[in-house]
Amino acid sequence: SVLQLKLWNKYRVSNIPSLIFIDASTGKVVCRNGLLVIRDDPEGLEFPWGPKPFSEVVAGPLLRNNGQTLDSSALEGSHVGVYFSAHWCPPCRSLTRVLVESYRKIKEAGQKFEILFVSADRSEDSFKQYFSEMPWVAVPYADEARRSRLNRLYGIQGIPTLIVLDSQGEVITRQGRVEVLNDVECREFPWHPKPVLELTDSNAVQLNEGPCLVLFVDSEDDGESEAAKQLIQPIAEKIIAKYKAKDEEAPLLFFVAGEDDMTDSLRDYTNLPEAAPLLTILDMSARAKYVMDVEEITPEIVEAFVSDFLADKLKPEPI
């Protein structure tokens, strides 16, 4: 039903079973990984399972791969990448190779940055083998409770996931993986989210995370992508700020798409007209699309399209 789809989208559910705890008085998400909560705390001793500060959840000894230990308080005052990964997962191994270089570049540039490996390996041996390639710190493999609490804290639904925190332990971005792959020189570290992204091979995975506004442009025309970004940016910023004030994630991601093989295959897959510019909202998980095919796209048209979508006034077409 429509209500079911709305709930899937609102809570960005990407796999089942999924159990999400909500504070009924405010509607805010208390915990995304309810299934882990029930496994870890069957007696309900930690109820109501609300989010705790990173420093509290991570508290305890951490390891270096030479066997040295240090206290988690050593992370205070640094940006921290919390890295959920495992040796059995090929995308994890290829991200680790890039991340080792990124870590070195960021440290050499004099930034205070640490990475914390939270293993999802299936044995202590494979953890040790994998961790031997990493120049950063890890939660001890034997401390399953702490690893699980960190998974719960960030509602981890798949690996590899890299969450980047500021020096106060607040989340800067959950998309560390995309950022590291997109910015190999680490010029944009610590990767504060941009309101509007240019669609690329490495960030296209975000199209599956919920509804996305995608403005397709004719990128043969120099400056067209930049102009399109400038057009959408104020609207994106307004929506992000509105939801941030409520402590909620924005209900839409915003993209500009030029012309390349990936965009062509996206148009084919979603069966979109060839026109450019073409303003769309694509909702992959609901297999729905909303299309605004007009000669000229103005800020007013984008704003009206977005507010009609958020008010459920648009009729979806199937993807």
Side-chain angles (χ1 to χ4, degrees):
S1 77
V2 174
L3 178 60
Q4 283 173 317
L5 279 177
K6 275 194 192 163
L7 287 168
W8 277 72
N9 281 337
K10 181 174 173 62
Y11 299 114
R12 304 234 166 132
V13 174
S14 59
N15 51 16
I16 53 171
S18 207
L19 175 61
I20 296 171
F21 292 118
I22 291 157
D23 179 337
S25 59
T26 62
K28 285 182 184 168
V29 172
V30 174
C31 172
R32 288 188 169 280
N33 282 24
L35 296 170
L36 276 183
V37 167
I38 288 167
R39 192 196 74 188
D40 293 352
D41 184 22
E43 305 289 313
L45 302 176
E46 293 178 39
F47 182 82
W49 305 305
K52 296 184 167 73
F54 170 69
S55 57
E56 190 181 318
V57 177
V58 78
L62 303 177
L63 290 179
R64 291 205 174 277
N65 65 14
N66 60 6
Q68 277 184 319
T69 61
L70 68 162
D71 189 73
S72 58
S73 58
L75 300 175
E76 286 168 19
S78 292
H79 283 81
V80 177
V82 189
Y83 184 36
F84 298 86
S85 186
H87 190 260
W88 52 261
C89 149
C92 292
R93 292 201 302 276
S94 58
L95 180 61
T96 297
R97 285 193 289 274
V98 179
L99 199 50
V100 167
E101 286 305 302
S102 303
Y103 178 76
R104 191 177 53 75
K105 284 175 187 157
I106 293 164
K107 300 281 268 191
E108 280 175 2
Q111 301 266 15
K112 293 188 81 174
F113 181 51
E114 195 47 77
I115 292 177
L116 174 67
F117 172 40
V118 183
S119 167
D121 288 294
R122 291 173 179 152
S123 70
E124 176 101 40
D125 283 347
S126 75
F127 161 75
K128 280 183 176 155
Q129 183 194 344
Y130 193 29
F131 187 40
S132 71
E133 304 162 20
M134 300 179 183
W136 45 73
V137 299
V139 176
Y141 185 79
D143 195 344
E144 197 178 331
R146 196 161 28 141
R147 290 191 289 125
S148 187
R149 282 199 299 273
L150 284 159
N151 271 281
R152 268 164 46 193
L153 178 61
Y154 297 115
I156 301 303
Q157 294 197 339
I159 55 171
T161 294
L162 178 66
I163 309 250
V164 182
L165 309 179
D166 67 16
S167 53
Q168 271 69 54
E170 297 293 324
V171 174
I172 293 176
T173 178
R174 298 178 59 86
Q175 298 294 340
R177 174 194 187 181
V178 170
E179 297 293 356
V180 163
L181 296 175
N182 261 348
D183 178 26
V184 177
E185 293 304 316
C186 307
R187 291 198 179 98
E188 315 243 319
F189 175 81
W191 302 301
H192 287 280
K194 295 189 184 75
V196 183
L197 294 171
E198 221 158 302
L199 194 60
T200 64
D201 283 333
S202 56
N203 66 24
V205 62
Q206 288 176 257
L207 292 174
N208 297 314
E209 292 198 357
C212 298
L213 180 136
V214 185
L215 174 52
F216 292 88
V217 295
D218 173 8
S219 55
E220 300 295 302
D221 182 354
D222 279 352
E224 189 77 20
S225 286
E226 200 44 51
K229 248 196 232 173
Q230 301 298 334
L231 175 76
I232 302 174
Q233 184 130 341
I235 297 152
E237 283 173 348
K238 199 154 86 179
I239 284 176
I240 291 163
K242 179 181 163 188
Y243 282 83
K244 192 171 184 179
K246 298 194 279 186
D247 241 6
E248 288 178 27
E249 279 188 43
L252 263 179
L253 296 172
F254 295 84
F255 290 93
V256 168
E259 287 186 61
D260 55 31
D261 292 346
M262 198 253 318
T263 307
D264 286 347
S265 59
L266 176 62
R267 279 184 186 258
D268 289 346
Y269 176 71
T270 52
N271 203 7
L272 289 171
E274 279 302 304
L278 183 69
L279 183 63
T280 66
I281 290 173
L282 303 177
D283 187 345
M284 298 303 207
S285 57
R287 301 191 62 80
K289 66 183 176 197
Y290 307 82
V291 182
M292 174 75 84
D293 188 356
V294 288
E295 282 298 301
E296 190 192 354
I297 291 167
T298 64
E300 294 72 28
I301 284 173
V302 177
E303 194 139 12
F305 186 53
V306 167
S307 58
D308 285 352
F309 171 76
L310 294 177
D312 284 323
K313 290 182 182 167
L314 300 178
K315 190 170 167 15
E317 298 173 55
I319 284 180

